Amino acid sequence: MIHRFDVIVVGAGGAGLMAALYASRGAKTAVISKLYPTRSHTGTAQGGIGAALGNMEEDHPEWHIFDTIKGSDYLADQDAVKILCEEAVGMVYELEHMGLPFDRTPDGRIAQRPFGGHTNNVTKQPVRRACHAADRTGHMILQTVYQQCIKNNVTFFDEYQVLDLLVNDEGHVAGVTAIHIDSGELHTFYGKATIFATGGFGRLWKITSNAYALTGDGVAVAFRRGIPLEDMEFYQFHPTGILGLGILLTEGVRGEGGVLINGEGERFMPRYAPTVKDLASRDVVSRAIYLEVRAGRGIGGKDYVYLDVRPETVNKYFVEDGVKNPDGTPRRITAQDIRRKLPDISDFCKTYLQLDPIKSPLPIQPTAHYAMGGIPTNNNAEVVIDAQGTVMPGFYAAGECACVSVHGANRLGTNSLVDILVFGRRAGQNAAIYAAQADWPRLPAAAEEPARAALAAIRNGTGREVVAQIRAEMRSLMMDNVGVFRTEALLSEALARLRDLKECFSRISIMDKGKRWNTELLEAWELGCMLDLAEVTTVAALTRTESRGAHFREDFPERDDVNWLKHSLAYLEADGQIRMDTKPVTLGLYEPARRVY
Amino acid sequence: MKVKVKVRRFNPEKDHRPYWGEYQLEAQPTDRVLDLLVYIKGYIDGTLTFRRSCAHGICGSDAMVINGRNRLACKELVKDVGRTIVIEPLRGLPVIKDLAVDMEPFFRKYRSILPFLINDEPPPYTERLQSPEARERFDDTTKCILCAACTTSCPSFWANDSYLGPAAIVQAHRFIFDDRDRGAQARLAILAEADGVWRCRTIYNCVDACPREIDITRAIGEVKKLLLVE
């Protein structure tokens, strides 16, 4: 079945919905999503969206720009960061106008809280920049933008999973092939412009904050169609995941005063980040936790530490640090403040840890959280396919699947929500403008055949290998060898074992041979995507012989601006090999400097 | 510990009627019921079909009937449900396959109550002001994740599936009590119809079912009260 739309949006999280909202104002637009839109992972973002509104204390977009560039370990493209931080302010107001229920200050303005790496550039102290709706800011963003899509009659194809990108002989993108999950039938979505907003791939790692859906489908599909992937070695581990489960406990917990405590009862972050302490950027805090554990200072000598937000602990350190409210009074927190500002966190702790954060410290460990790398785009959200910035006609990407790059080697908390909306909007606007003037691209002959063949190969497989087993091995391997600390030995071993796992994957079989709702088939297909992305991540990590942001090589522990102040690009060659290339970083605002928090 | 999981199975391509699938497995007391389903699908029977995504109670994908009560499989721990765990699809929505039900009737009701801010007054350059008290007025109903656990636990909905159901009313409440919204009259007109808010008989099943602990019956009561005043 062929559907014809001017603009096709793949993915219905914040980026996809924002793109669709804007594209649909000027072009016939469809949104395709493997989940109902409200199930998308944007909904799990907790702490806030960063924008220098200055509602609670002095703040400026210029400070947000500097913090983001410093947070990126100087790998972000500075022109893109400028767009991100300047447009953030108007975007937050736009969300409010759409009806987003932000928390409010006593005078009725949008309330803001401190977050990791966001600072007053003069005093170097944490600044209140994260605009929040309790600790469910992402939920409210997803709901609000979806509501606007309903209001504007955007066309949705819910529970359709995209399997292939249609690229014709002229190198133009002509849409996608998707499977209707309910019927099992393939559909061709033929369009002038295609926007990928397919999210990340945290399911590569054993401990992750990411939903089951985050298997990197869009990124893998683009890679297989010859689009290079940028900066794949940079994957963020969020410092505070619930022990064993990886469920996120927002940085907002530390924004409200929570501290990290090791097995000796010591608040250890001041040793690693003397100025902002527990509110250093995520790469710094995650490494600090691992180093404490490695030095035998985990809780009970084990592999975790405590996140402590008990009022008595928080207030003790508020006194010690002389922390003040915006009006100059000493800052203090009560049990009621925590319940009011962090209700979902309290609920997660109660449900999964049987602990009350007001009464007990919380066992946490770093959890795989966010891909800084992905499909390379320019500032118009157009996909670019080489180091010279050549645009692939008709193809756009936004959000976590894309790499603009606004996050460089390490993303600051709250900036992903800014990114999805600012660049989702740009993708929607630019795709609609493109569709208005472009001719219909030629649709490749037998467009559905590659997807049909890929599914048939899985469905008809008769080997003895088990999808769940391969998946579990891949996730453990990535956690152990391609995690926070990396070495050539670990990465080389990972690469060899990943290639074994890919070989095993060619010998799988599945039990469900049916058409309708065959999620066993789709999970197997998703595993193929993840294995591809695991390999790219590992090759990229092996290639970058320096440490920067989230990519830490113990055998190359220093940042190397002479050789490595550049983005990486990974290409899939015709013989299946991965070829690495680089492209320059756009500077212009701030010269790289030593990064101290 | 050993647990027995009984799942109401139905494959539309094979089965004429549903049947019980039984699975014995080893589980930890702190495992989520969802973990058991994922294990069964991965290692025992790949045909077992259910929705899931975030696995921590936010996305709303995995509402199902667990030991007779509507629950999210990712928020129910083994230690709280016992060694025999009986799992069925949500009631009142057509079963597609195993635990996956057709959600379209549910989302149609959601869309019918105008679930978006209605206000045509030109906004200021910055944010509209709203007092913390006014914001608090509708806080509870902003928590809804549209999982359908409430609506499909409601005997009034089972008896008459044209009833809007608690979830749609919760969504309407979220806007009606937002002082920035101007669409209350239009929504109240919909809620005043025969299949609207008066079909609620305050049975409280929805309150027990809600994984977000929204005080749904109270929200419905507030809408009813407003209709009486109007």
Side-chain angles (χ1 to χ4, degrees):
Chain A
M1 193 175 196
I2 297 186
H3 309 266
R4 213 180 230 262
F5 288 91
D6 294 330
V7 177
I8 294 160
V9 181
V10 183
L17 294 176
M18 202 65 180
L21 191 58
Y22 272 86
S24 63
R25 290 175 184 173
K28 191 182 168 201
T29 302
V31 184
I32 306 168
S33 172
K34 68 177 179 177
L35 305 172
Y36 272 99
T38 60
R39 316 299 186 215
S40 304
H41 205 54
T42 296
T44 64
Q46 297 168 0
I49 173 167
L53 307 185
N55 279 358
M56 301 181 75
E57 59 185 304
E58 183 183 0
D59 197 9
H60 306 280
E62 292 72 25
W63 292 358
H64 190 185
I65 294 168
F66 173 75
D67 290 339
T68 301
I69 291 168
K70 179 182 173 187
S72 81
D73 220 345
Y74 296 90
L75 193 72
D77 291 312
Q78 300 189 3
D79 55 340
V81 174
K82 188 165 187 289
I83 290 170
L84 181 88
C85 300
E86 288 179 348
E87 293 190 9
V89 175
M91 181 54 74
V92 166
Y93 293 141
E94 184 175 342
L95 289 173
E96 197 285 326
H97 298 159
M98 288 177 178
L100 196 138
F102 284 110
D103 292 341
R104 300 291 174 151
T105 63
D107 58 353
R109 310 202 82 89
I110 293 169
Q112 300 183 276
R113 62 163 58 115
F115 237 76
H118 293 277
T119 66
N120 176 314
N121 285 187
V122 177
T123 65
K124 313 292 180 201
Q125 290 301 313
V127 71
R128 291 166 179 80
R129 185 178 291 150
C131 311
H132 55 86
D135 51 358
R136 53 176 185 278
T137 312
H139 166 75
M140 294 319 327
I141 289 175
L142 184 66
Q143 296 273 328
T144 301
V145 185
Y146 183 54
Q147 291 156 5
Q148 291 299 308
C149 287
I150 291 174
K151 185 179 178 191
N152 290 283
N153 288 313
V154 173
T155 304
F156 284 95
F157 290 84
D158 296 331
E159 298 187 325
Y160 281 70
Q161 185 160 349
V162 166
L163 302 172
D164 197 8
L165 179 72
L166 304 179
V167 184
N168 67 23
D169 292 339
E170 293 84 50
H172 289 229
V173 167
V176 295
T177 305
I179 182 171
H180 178 216
I181 296 173
D182 187 6
S183 68
E185 297 292 341
L186 292 182
H187 291 240
T188 297
F189 289 86
Y190 177 34
K192 289 183 180 175
T194 300
I195 302 172
F196 268 22
T198 56
F201 42 87
R203 302 301 297 183
L204 263 59
W205 286 269
K206 183 178 177 188
I207 301 294
T208 179
S209 64
N210 281 201
Y212 277 101
L214 291 174
T215 51
D217 308 4
V219 181
V221 159
F223 181 64
R224 290 166 180 179
R225 283 290 174 192
I227 289 113
L229 300 182
E230 181 173 344
D231 290 345
M232 288 292 283
E233 60 273 39
F234 298 105
Y235 197 89
Q236 179 170 81
F237 283 72
H238 191 294
T240 58
I242 290 179
L243 178 65
L245 293 171
I247 296 168
L248 189 67
L249 298 180
T250 171
E251 206 161 287
V253 174
R254 282 170 285 139
E256 298 298 344
V259 291
L260 295 167
I261 303 286
N262 67 18
E264 294 172 359
E266 179 204 11
R267 179 195 188 189
F268 56 86
M269 275 314 296
R271 279 194 275 114
Y272 297 90
T275 308
V276 296
K277 307 182 176 86
D278 297 85
L279 285 171
S281 67
R282 290 174 178 172
D283 56 333
V284 173
V285 181
S286 285
R287 274 196 293 279
I289 293 170
Y290 268 86
L291 289 170
E292 290 300 300
V293 165
R294 206 182 269 186
R297 291 192 293 269
I299 304 301
K302 297 210 182 94
D303 62 347
Y304 64 95
V305 297
Y306 280 140
L307 173 61
D308 193 340
V309 69
R310 291 176 294 179
E312 61 269 30
T313 309
V314 172
N315 288 330
K316 181 178 121 189
Y317 290 112
F318 277 167
V319 172
E320 219 165 83
D321 295 348
V323 178
K324 292 199 168 40
N325 291 316
D327 64 5
T329 56
R331 190 167 164 206
R332 297 291 179 270
I333 197 164
T334 64
Q336 202 198 347
D337 292 333
I338 293 166
R339 289 206 201 288
R340 193 166 48 78
K341 292 183 170 180
L342 302 167
D344 278 7
I345 294 305
S346 303
D347 182 43
F348 298 152
C349 294
K350 191 180 77 181
T351 303
Y352 300 110
L353 292 167
Q354 296 78 51
L355 292 175
D356 182 347
I358 287 160
K359 295 184 184 137
S360 313
L362 311 166
I364 57 98
Q365 70 183 129
T367 181
H369 185 57
Y370 186 87
M372 272 71 74
I375 302 168
T377 66
N378 61 25
N379 293 341
N380 298 323
E382 297 168 302
V383 173
V384 293
I385 52 172
D386 56 29
Q388 290 72 46
T390 305
V391 169
M392 185 170 207
F395 195 27
Y396 298 78
E400 190 174 344
C401 73
C403 181
V404 187
S405 152
V406 287
H407 308 304
N410 172 67
R411 173 174 72 76
L412 290 191
T414 79
N415 272 357
S416 62
L417 292 175
V418 188
D419 178 14
I420 59 174
L421 299 172
V422 165
F423 287 95
R425 177 168 67 184
R426 284 175 164 250
Q429 285 170 332
N430 290 313
I433 292 168
Y434 173 83
Q437 49 83 22
D439 293 327
W440 280 90
R442 201 183 53 73
L443 186 66
E448 292 171 3
E449 279 321 302
R452 196 182 309 280
L455 293 185
I458 295 170
R459 201 192 297 265
N460 302 331
T462 54
R464 301 177 72 102
E465 299 291 342
V466 176
V467 168
Q469 189 68 44
I470 298 172
R471 190 169 56 206
E473 285 181 29
M474 172 197 71
R475 298 182 68 201
S476 291
L477 177 66
M478 292 300 284
M479 200 73 201
D480 294 341
N481 289 36
V482 196
V484 170
F485 285 103
R486 300 161 172 187
T487 65
E488 181 175 355
L490 285 171
L491 294 167
S492 301
E493 186 199 15
L495 195 56
R497 285 182 56 198
L498 281 170
R499 286 174 179 160
D500 288 346
L501 289 174
K502 286 184 103 164
E503 208 271 318
C504 291
F505 180 70
S506 68
R507 287 183 278 112
I508 57 167
S509 60
I510 60 171
M511 294 170 72
D512 195 337
K513 308 291 184 188
K515 292 196 76 163
R516 297 195 65 186
W517 262 92
N518 192 339
T519 51
E520 189 187 19
L521 175 69
L522 292 172
E523 283 186 20
W525 180 82
E526 289 170 342
L527 175 60
C529 292
M530 290 195 284
L531 286 167
D532 283 0
L533 297 184
E535 188 181 4
V536 178
T537 301
T538 307
V539 170
L542 257 175
T543 308
R544 187 176 286 270
T545 49
E546 66 154 354
S547 291
R548 181 185 300 271
H551 173 67
F552 196 90
R553 287 281 301 259
E554 288 190 90
D555 40 359
F556 298 93
E558 298 300 322
R559 194 174 81 192
D560 177 2
D561 287 336
V562 175
N563 295 302
W564 282 113
L565 183 59
K566 46 195 174 189
H567 300 291
S568 72
L569 290 175
Y571 291 83
L572 181 63
E573 297 288 90
D575 60 359
Q577 295 297 304
I578 294 165
R579 175 173 62 85
M580 296 303 299
D581 192 7
T582 61
K583 74 172 184 183
V585 176
T586 306
L587 301 172
L589 296 175
Y590 297 98
E591 282 305 308
R594 217 166 82 80
R595 188 161 160 258
V596 184
Y597 282 101
Chain B
M1 61 194 273
K2 279 235 181 302
V3 294
K4 181 163 82 176
V5 181
K6 284 181 69 177
V7 185
R8 191 80 166 157
R9 303 288 311 266
F10 176 73
N11 180 345
E13 294 176 82
K14 275 195 194 153
D15 304 323
H16 294 293
R17 56 179 64 88
Y19 66 97
W20 290 101
E22 284 198 21
Y23 313 91
Q24 311 273 350
L25 54 153
E26 217 23 73
Q28 299 295 318
T30 52
D31 280 344
R32 296 164 279 201
V33 170
L34 179 63
D35 297 326
L36 307 186
L37 292 172
V38 167
Y39 183 86
I40 294 168
K41 184 173 183 67
Y43 295 99
I44 302 175
D45 185 348
T47 66
L48 180 66
T49 301
F50 51 92
R51 291 188 179 95
R52 82 285 181 268
S53 196
C54 82
H56 65 287
I58 297 299
C59 80
S61 296
D62 62 347
M64 50 189 75
V65 184
I66 300 172
N67 288 351
R69 296 172 130 187
N70 282 16
R71 292 289 183 265
L72 297 181
C74 61
K75 278 196 93 174
E76 279 305 273
L77 302 191
V78 167
K79 68 182 182 57
D80 299 320
V81 291
R83 285 165 191 272
T84 300
I85 305 162
V86 181
I87 305 175
E88 301 160 82
L90 293 175
R91 302 180 183 114
L93 292 170
V95 173
I96 302 175
K97 184 176 176 184
D98 295 340
L99 301 171
V101 296
D102 181 3
M103 294 295 289
E104 259 320 299
F106 174 80
F107 279 105
R108 226 172 5 247
K109 292 175 198 298
Y110 162 71
R111 290 192 295 265
S112 76
I113 54 87
L114 313 175
F116 39 81
L117 191 85
I118 297 174
N119 184 333
D120 294 332
E121 299 153 24
Y125 173 72
T126 63
E127 69 267 58
R128 295 188 191 90
L129 298 183
Q130 181 173 50
S131 71
E133 296 71 33
R135 166 66 180 79
E136 181 63 26
R137 186 69 190 82
F138 64 100
D139 185 66
D140 200 33
T141 44
T142 65
K143 296 189 302 197
C144 173
I145 56 174
L146 297 167
C147 67
C150 60
T151 295
T152 59
S153 75
C154 174
S156 303
F157 173 73
W158 299 336
N160 181 347
D161 66 8
S162 55
Y163 169 40
L164 279 176
I169 302 172
V170 161
Q171 290 290 334
H173 178 282
R174 176 255 171 273
F175 291 102
I176 291 169
F177 289 90
D178 185 336
D179 68 352
R180 299 170 299 171
D181 186 80
R182 302 286 177 267
Q185 292 309 322
R187 285 191 203 91
L188 288 171
I190 296 164
L191 295 168
E193 285 174 16
D195 289 322
V197 75
W198 303 113
R199 289 221 185 272
C200 167
R201 298 284 189 267
T202 49
I203 298 164
Y204 292 97
N205 276 12
C206 53
V207 177
D208 173 71
C210 180
R212 303 286 291 153
E213 295 177 7
I214 299 171
D215 196 344
I216 301 175
T217 307
R218 184 177 140 202
I220 296 176
E222 288 178 350
V223 173
K224 284 179 175 172
K225 208 163 140 193
L226 198 60
L227 272 173
L228 290 174
V229 173
E230 301 279 325

